Amino acid sequence: MTRYFAGGDVGSTKTNIIIADEHGRVLGFGTGGGGNHEGVGYAGLQQVVHTALQQALAQCGIAASAIESASVGIGGYDWPAQHADHVRALAAAGLTMPVEIVNDAVVGLVAGAASGWGVGVVAGTSCNCWGMDAHGKLGRVVGEGTRVGEYGGASELVARAVQAVAYEWVLRGPPTMLTPAFMRVTGAPDLTALIEGLTTGRFEIDARHAPLIFQVALQGDAVARECIAWAGRELAQLALCVIRQLQLQQLEFDVVLIGSLHKGGALLTDPLRAALVPEAPRARLVPLSSPPATGGVLLAMRAAGLDAGAVRAQLLQSAAAFIEQP
């Protein structure tokens, strides 16, 4: 009899559910909108997971009751006190089988790390970092961004760039090509008008404008380059927190780069790597190239007592081929 496993990745902007068999063959893939309860509530979480699950089940041609176990990574799932509400929402969505719930950074880590453990550094709209050692012990940062002094995502990078423009205006810092770039996107006629508009709320420069900072940096602007390097160093600090918690300093392991900001390349990753080397010299930076939901499938297989590592390569290859189908 075929054994089925489900993995989920529920973020602030999108949700994916993957169903695979015990051989690592992906049989169904469903999508939905953002399901972080902090943004859409538990009713919203239930709805998007239900939508994605039904799509995946329809492709498989099975009922949810046929799935042996599932693991779902959920953005905003940070504390044990949230567990019961998440379980109820997932059960109402159709995941009534045994379900492991983790933070969404964990499924990305498991999907990206060749050994199935290591550290996952998230740099998307904001930042986060979770890790797992070879025995399954978890380490983490708070995951609350600037409120707790954790930086390195797009929001924090853009805020740093806006500070640099403000420093130019008050003669605290050097001129930067970020200034005319921000003037173009806001329509501000000069720097004074830009600062006035930003401080009064008439203009908004936010996480969506992070690619613009990389564009300016690639044109040779030293200030933009330093803003990105700062973000890389800050992400490294998050990773080092988790590395210390799990005592990985002397081990060889993967640091999985999760989130769209890492697509900025060496401008971000070189400073990140350089900041890791003194304390964790054997850490390897690995861009996440597989859907994070595959990490959920691997965790579900582990929970069922299977050797997930034996089918990992097949699962990742199958997921890539399945999702690329027209």
Side-chain angles (χ1 to χ4, degrees):
M1 177 182 293
T2 302
R3 302 171 71 181
Y4 300 99
F5 302 91
D9 173 39
V10 182
S12 296
T13 58
K14 70 179 186 306
T15 293
N16 292 328
I17 298 288
I18 288 176
I19 299 174
D21 66 14
E22 73 269 33
H23 304 292
R25 294 179 298 213
V26 173
L27 306 172
F29 178 78
T31 64
N36 185 325
H37 77 281
E38 295 170 340
V40 300
Y42 287 103
L45 168 62
Q46 174 188 331
Q47 182 57 51
V48 299
V49 171
H50 176 78
T51 298
L53 177 62
Q54 292 306 310
Q55 290 178 16
L57 290 170
Q59 291 174 356
C60 294
I62 64 171
S65 58
I67 298 174
E68 184 172 336
S69 67
S71 183
V72 184
I74 304 178
Y77 177 73
D78 296 310
W79 306 106
Q82 300 169 327
H83 186 260
D85 287 331
H86 279 81
V87 168
R88 281 192 289 269
L90 294 182
L95 293 174
T96 55
M97 71 294 296
V99 178
E100 178 185 18
I101 305 173
V102 295
N103 185 272
D104 59 342
V106 176
V107 293
L109 160 62
V110 174
S115 62
W117 60 271
V119 175
V121 180
V122 179
T125 301
S126 188
C127 58
N128 202 356
C129 184
W130 283 67
M132 178 188 294
D133 69 11
H135 305 288
K137 179 183 177 182
L138 294 174
R140 58 171 292 184
V141 298
V142 179
E144 289 289 329
T146 57
R147 183 181 181 187
V148 293
E150 295 171 355
Y151 311 104
S155 296
E156 297 85 35
L157 171 61
V158 170
R160 187 79 167 186
V162 169
Q163 290 174 359
V165 171
Y167 284 2
E168 176 184 350
W169 187 63
V170 298
L171 303 184
R172 182 175 174 178
T176 169
M177 292 169 62
L178 290 167
T179 297
F182 288 171
M183 286 168 55
R184 285 193 297 273
V185 299
T186 60
D190 53 43
L191 177 54
T192 299
L194 175 63
I195 298 298
E196 179 183 354
L198 290 172
T199 57
T200 61
R202 186 158 54 92
F203 299 145
E204 185 175 16
I205 301 290
D206 58 23
R208 296 169 298 172
H209 297 96
L212 181 61
I213 301 170
F214 283 87
Q215 292 172 18
V216 173
L218 289 172
Q219 294 169 9
D221 184 75
V223 174
R225 294 177 71 90
E226 173 53 29
C227 286
I228 297 168
W230 166 84
R233 294 191 297 268
E234 290 295 322
L235 291 170
Q237 290 304 313
L238 303 186
L240 286 169
C241 292
V242 175
I243 289 167
R244 294 172 194 138
Q245 292 168 27
L246 299 177
Q247 299 182 344
L248 304 179
Q249 293 95 323
Q250 302 307 314
L251 301 182
E252 185 175 334
F253 62 94
D254 290 338
V255 175
V256 182
L257 306 180
I258 307 166
S260 59
L261 204 68
H262 291 298
K263 295 178 182 177
L267 289 172
L268 182 73
T269 57
D270 282 356
L272 195 166
R273 181 183 290 105
L276 288 179
V277 165
E279 196 165 341
R282 302 176 70 188
R284 299 182 298 263
L285 299 190
V286 179
L288 177 61
S289 58
S290 302
T294 58
V297 174
L298 293 169
L299 287 173
M301 289 179 170
R302 287 186 199 175
L306 296 183
D307 180 4
V311 300
R312 180 179 185 274
Q314 169 63 30
L315 177 67
L316 301 187
Q317 181 180 5
S318 178
F322 189 95
I323 294 168
E324 289 172 2
Q325 290 177 359

